[in-house]
Amino acid sequence: SNLSLVRSEFLDFVTPDRFDVVLFAFNVFAEFVTVRSRIAALQHARSLLTNRGRIIVICFAHDFADWVIKRKE
């Protein structure tokens, strides 16, 4: 198996490669604070996947909706 780690602004990341997995780990998905930006992130992740690729989202917030509301204040 081959592992590549890339550091980039996710929505700006462009590559001809396609991946088996796109991982949003350690609450990184919560950094997309609007519904529109989350949808854009998921759509972009999908565009980077192989035909059988998967998106994995790991979020540790106990009450995610409450956390997002507090963050906007």
Side-chain angles (χ1 to χ4, degrees), residues 2-73:
N2 188 7
L3 176 65
S4 297
L5 298 176
V6 177
R7 183 177 180 191
S8 172
E9 289 294 327
F10 182 69
L11 294 175
D12 297 331
F13 178 66
V14 177
T15 180
D17 299 328
R18 292 296 168 255
F19 303 93
D20 294 323
V21 175
V22 173
L23 172 65
F24 294 101
F26 307 108
N27 287 345
V28 73
F29 193 69
E31 295 300 316
F32 300 101
V33 295
T34 66
V35 171
R36 179 177 283 171
S37 65
R38 289 183 188 137
I39 291 170
L42 290 172
Q43 289 173 330
H44 187 58
R46 177 62 190 109
S47 75
L48 296 171
L49 293 173
T50 61
N51 288 338
R52 297 182 56 106
R54 301 288 186 255
I55 299 169
I56 300 173
V57 178
I58 300 172
C59 181
F60 296 106
H62 295 283
D63 188 345
F64 186 74
D66 186 50
W67 183 81
V68 170
I69 291 168
K70 287 180 183 175
R71 183 176 172 134
K72 288 182 180 179
E73 294 174 352

